[in-house]
Amino acid sequence: MKIIAIYSSKGGVGKTATAVNLSYDSAQSGKKTLLCDMDPQGAAGYYYRIRAKESFNRKQFLKGDLEPFIRGTDFENLDLLPAHFSFRNLDIALDDRGGSAKELKRIFAGLKDEYEVLILDCPPNITLLSENILMAADMVVTPVIPTTLSILSFAQLIKLADKLEVNRKKLAAFFSMVDKRKKMHTDIIAKFGRKKLFLESEIAYLADVEKMGIYRQPVAVSAAASAAATAYRQLWQEVWRRGVLT
Ligand SMILES: Nc1ncnc2c1ncn2[C@@H]1O[C@H](COP(=O)(O)OP(=O)(O)OP(=O)(O)O)[C@@H](O)[C@H]1O
Ligand SMILES: [Mg+2]
């Protein structure tokens, strides 16, 4: 099982849109896929029209008792573990359990025979939970809006990976919400786009992605022939190629 975390310490950069669309593309490519919503806002579950069972909360999650709470989606090969509101205190709970960065790895270990791909939609934080995410993931995919602050937060992530002695090869950034009419975007892409940690695929600023909130479906379903659907499929293929090779 490959664990792919969609992570950035910055909010609103396109993590959930990416997690929702990549999990769909992964499942479509025939891989048994689980999307795990780690964000108490529950947006990934919202897009797939799935809510957590009443009995599910942070306690079960931390015990690694996940299977009874996994829900099927409308799509073949794709399941979802919805977030619970109590996930907002996951950091404190992890801290109470000794502050280890390896808890998440243990929690997901029980799923390894069931799924080929586990995609994590992460909340925007840089905390103990982020350290756990870095340790558990085989690959950390970071959407970066081509602006100075987004680049800075990716630099922070590289620093954190170094501190935890996590191989930098696990990290992969891609430019998100790209608007080629903006000089700042084209300048930043020209400057950083060729760096090793950046993927070639980009996701442009596209209305079809915004409309996911209305249709509550991956773009490949609500707008099958759209540029957005094609762009996420390409991103998925590049992520998978890189994840398998490293
Ligand atoms: N490529 C895109 N083009 C246009 N709008 C986008 C794109 N990607 C995301 N959005 C929109 O931007 C907003 C933020 O996206 P999203 O929720 O995916 O970000 P996030 O990083 O998960 O945010 P948070 O940190 O709050 O979890 C949403 O309204 C979403 O529909
Ligand atoms: Mg999100």
Side-chain angles (χ1 to χ4, degrees):
M1 181 177 77
K2 289 270 176 200
I3 302 183
I4 301 169
I6 315 300
Y7 170 81
S8 167
S9 58
K10 264 190 90 60
V13 294
K15 294 180 292 299
T16 300
T18 303
V20 166
N21 288 305
L22 293 195
S23 58
Y24 178 83
D25 288 328
S26 168
Q28 280 291 300
S29 71
K31 296 172 185 67
K32 185 92 194 288
T33 303
L34 176 68
L35 171 59
C36 176
D37 190 353
M38 305 284 303
D39 188 340
Q41 295 177 96
Y46 178 83
Y47 283 128
Y48 277 112
R49 304 162 188 249
I50 291 172
R51 291 169 74 168
K53 285 188 184 169
E54 277 301 316
S55 51
F56 185 48
N57 59 36
R58 189 184 67 223
K59 258 192 194 156
Q60 271 88 13
F61 182 81
L62 288 169
K63 266 198 261 164
D65 189 12
L66 308 180
E67 268 173 88
F69 304 106
I70 290 173
R71 316 285 304 265
T73 67
D74 293 341
F75 308 106
E76 203 179 342
N77 290 325
L78 182 60
D79 291 342
L80 188 138
L81 181 65
H84 187 268
F85 191 55
S86 62
F87 282 17
R88 71 193 186 284
N89 295 324
L90 262 183
D91 267 303
I92 300 168
L94 285 168
D95 208 30
D96 287 347
R97 292 168 80 94
S100 162
K102 292 189 179 154
E103 289 286 306
L104 212 53
K105 206 180 168 90
R106 171 189 60 76
I107 290 166
F108 291 132
L111 298 172
K112 71 175 191 316
D113 296 329
E114 196 61 36
Y115 295 97
E116 199 175 340
V117 178
L118 170 58
I119 293 186
L120 309 179
D121 183 20
C122 302
N125 278 328
I126 186 149
T127 59
L128 182 56
L129 178 61
S130 330
E131 295 189 9
N132 271 268
I133 287 163
L134 269 172
M135 298 297 280
D138 296 292
M139 196 170 175
V140 179
V141 176
T142 302
V144 174
I145 300 175
T147 58
T148 320
L149 284 183
S150 262
I151 292 283
L152 276 179
S153 66
F154 185 55
Q156 263 182 356
L157 174 62
I158 297 173
K159 240 192 199 168
L160 182 63
D162 289 351
K163 185 193 129 203
L164 295 170
E165 296 180 353
V166 162
N167 191 339
R168 281 190 185 191
K169 278 189 175 170
K170 267 193 192 184
L171 310 183
F174 72 91
F175 287 111
S176 172
M177 301 195 201
V178 174
D179 182 349
K180 290 271 163 75
R181 293 166 306 180
K182 291 184 177 160
K183 186 169 182 312
M184 187 183 214
H185 282 207
T186 51
D187 285 353
I188 287 187
I189 291 171
K191 188 165 172 198
F192 294 96
R194 286 175 186 274
K195 300 227 184 257
K196 267 197 189 140
L197 295 183
F198 274 85
L199 298 167
E200 279 176 26
S201 311
E202 293 174 4
I203 305 289
Y205 191 93
L206 294 164
D208 283 324
V209 182
E210 267 182 321
K211 284 189 203 153
M212 281 171 62
I214 303 169
Y215 298 118
R216 298 178 70 185
Q217 285 175 326
V219 277
V221 178
S222 58
S226 64
T230 305
Y232 279 114
R233 204 175 312 117
Q234 280 174 357
L235 175 63
W236 166 248
Q237 285 163 358
E238 193 180 3
V239 163
W240 183 251
R241 251 185 282 130
R242 192 181 275 215
V244 167
L245 292 177
T246 51

